[in-house]
Amino acid sequence: MTRFILPITLSALCVSTLAVAHTGVQNPAVLARMESMKVTQDSTKVLGAMVKGDVTFDAVIARAAAETIAKEAARTKSLFEGQETDPKSEALPTIWKDFDDFNAKSRDLYAVAAALSVSLETEEELRIGLGQIGGACKACHEAYRE
């Protein structure tokens, strides 16, 4: 039963959080990027809660969260191809100056999350994988996010 309740609760939380987090964003392309990043963040929180012991480890749910992260990472290039901006955006202009590096970083996140989504079986694998996901996110955010 928990396997069904947790994803439903998280989905409801995501929708309500998105409504508040992106208030005032006028550019639909920027909003789409922000929503994608929020989905990634929420899935990462699911994994983090398991690592911290706040939620019981469940390999199926963890693999699903990693799969969601991989899917969003795969969308990153297309979401950022246009040099769209908005006053609420946290994306730095350096993204488009070094788009190849930006894409390489999103591919790194994709590779880590995709591998985890098919191989994750233990809490230790989750702990290691979440560290890799966090490292990939940090590498991109340090270079390309305000």
Side-chain angles (χ1 to χ4, degrees), residues 105 108-109 112 128-142:
K105 287 177 175 21
D108 290 346
L109 175 59
V112 169
I128 292 167
L130 182 57
Q132 293 170 332
I133 287 171
C137 290
K138 183 179 178 183
C140 194
H141 287 180
E142 283 181 342

Side-chain angles (χ1 to χ4, degrees), residues 46-145:
V46 169
L47 300 177
M50 286 184 198
V51 166
K52 290 190 281 184
D54 294 342
V55 175
T56 303
F57 172 76
D58 184 314
V60 172
I61 292 173
R63 284 192 301 268
E67 181 178 6
T68 298
I69 294 167
K71 285 180 181 178
E72 294 305 317
R75 296 179 55 215
T76 301
K77 180 180 179 182
S78 65
L79 289 171
F80 282 86
E81 282 179 329
Q83 294 186 26
E84 302 282 345
T85 191
D86 187 280
K88 299 280 185 171
S89 177
E90 296 178 333
L92 293 172
T94 55
I95 288 172
W96 298 283
K97 290 178 183 170
D98 200 356
F99 203 59
D100 289 341
D101 181 64
F102 176 77
N103 285 321
K105 287 177 175 21
S106 68
R107 285 191 307 270
D108 290 346
L109 175 59
Y110 171 81
V112 169
L116 201 60
S117 75
V118 295
S119 67
L120 177 69
E121 293 294 333
T122 68
E123 289 181 65
E124 183 58 25
E125 290 171 338
L126 173 58
R127 189 174 325 285
I128 292 167
L130 182 57
Q132 293 170 332
I133 287 171
C137 290
K138 183 179 178 183
C140 194
H141 287 180
E142 283 181 342
Y144 300 112
R145 181 178 166 211

